[in-house]
Structures are given as structure tokens and as C-alpha cells.
Amino acid sequence: IYFDLKNALGDDSADKARQYSQALKAQLLATGKHSLEGEHHLFWMDQYEYMEESLEELVNDATLDGLRVHFEPLSEAFIATARTLGAIGMTWYVAYCPMVDNNRGAYWLSETEQIKNPYFGSMMLRCGEVRETLREGVASGQRNEPRAVQGHVH
């Protein structure tokens, strides 16, 4: 559902983004804060709280700009989780746009290598680059696969 949310933001659809945020929040709640045991228990509890807080903001914000602001901390939590626990069911990509938030930059998780920028949507849909590849079942724990800049496209 995270990828549906990302794509709705890329499509400039605030309504769909809020719907996917609600569905993702329900999925998170169903998964539960205490769903992992052992070495990853405390890590998951932290990420769960970040996700829950971001999703609460997402479901309560009706503006596309506001949704995009709240999408960033959600993405950071999803990326940290994927790096620690491994991609589930497929290869995922960590994408980056250097222009978000007055050139501070921001990351997001993508299911495809093709850039579909959730922070700018149609205004700069292809702005960004893939910075890391997360392979199924492999926890990286770090940005272990730097990629050459393939061109910065607006």
C-alpha cells in the first residue's frame, strides 16, 4: 500500500493518497507494534511509532503539499525498515530528489527503478535518481550500493 500512496502523490491525487494512507494505517495497526521478537523488537517498535505518527498526519491532511510533507518521515521509516529487515517479495529502490524542501533533499522507497517523484508530482515527475537497491530477503543495514548519477532530469 506504501507504493500505492507514493504513486498517488506522483499522480497529484490527494484523495487517493489519503485513501491509501488510511489503508496503510489499518494495515500497520493490524500488524501491531509488538509483532517482532528478538533482536529486531525494539527497532520495529521505534519504526512503528514513526510510521503511525506520519500516517496519522497523512489521513488528517487534505492538501497535496501537506501530504507530501508527511510522506517524508513515513518514507524514512519504511527505508530504515527495509534496510534492516530486507525487502519483502521483490527488489526495492531507494530514490532521492535533491530539490525537496528548498534543496535539502528527500528519499522515498520505490518498487521500480523509474523515477516517479512523489514530492513534486507532475511538476517534476522524473526529478531524482535511484541511490540504492534493496534486494529481496537481504538486509543491508546501510546504503551499500551507491549508483552513479544517471542524469538529473526535470
Side-chain angles (χ1 to χ4, degrees), residues 125-142:
L125 190 60
R126 303 291 177 225
C127 181
E129 63 191 27
V130 171
R131 289 275 180 99
E132 181 181 355
T133 302
L134 303 173
R135 306 218 183 273
E136 178 178 3
V138 178
S140 70
Q142 61 183 2

Side-chain angles (χ1 to χ4, degrees), residues 106-154:
Y107 292 88
W108 70 93
L109 201 57
S110 180
E111 76 283 21
T112 66
E113 274 190 281
Q114 182 179 21
I115 296 296
K116 185 173 186 178
N117 191 316
Y119 298 109
F120 287 107
S122 62
M123 188 168 72
M124 292 190 295
L125 190 60
R126 303 291 177 225
C127 181
E129 63 191 27
V130 171
R131 289 275 180 99
E132 181 181 355
T133 302
L134 303 173
R135 306 218 183 273
E136 178 178 3
V138 178
S140 70
Q142 61 183 2
R143 294 187 174 104
N144 64 348
E145 216 174 290
R147 299 173 56 119
V149 175
Q150 299 173 348
H152 186 79
V153 180
H154 291 268

Side-chain angles (χ1 to χ4, degrees), residues 33-140:
K33 189 175 189 174
H34 302 284
S35 60
L36 291 181
E37 297 176 0
E39 66 179 297
H40 296 301
H41 177 71
L42 292 176
F43 167 81
W44 172 246
M45 285 178 54
D46 287 342
Q47 298 312 309
Y48 181 97
E49 287 180 13
Y50 297 139
M51 290 177 191
E52 185 178 40
E53 184 178 310
S54 296
L55 286 164
E56 185 65 29
E57 297 291 340
L58 280 158
V59 299
N60 290 314
D61 200 318
T63 68
L64 197 52
D65 287 342
L67 291 166
R68 288 176 168 147
V69 166
H70 302 303
F71 181 71
E72 184 182 357
L74 178 69
S75 292
E76 291 292 340
F78 265 86
I79 292 166
T81 301
R83 282 184 182 137
T84 301
L85 303 180
I88 300 168
M90 62 190 336
T91 298
W92 294 339
Y93 304 92
V94 179
Y96 176 75
C97 176
M99 298 182 71
V100 176
D101 194 17
N102 294 313
N103 298 320
R104 184 181 51 79
Y107 292 88
W108 70 93
L109 201 57
S110 180
E111 76 283 21
T112 66
E113 274 190 281
Q114 182 179 21
I115 296 296
K116 185 173 186 178
N117 191 316
Y119 298 109
F120 287 107
S122 62
M123 188 168 72
M124 292 190 295
L125 190 60
R126 303 291 177 225
C127 181
E129 63 191 27
V130 171
R131 289 275 180 99
E132 181 181 355
T133 302
L134 303 173
R135 306 218 183 273
E136 178 178 3
V138 178
S140 70

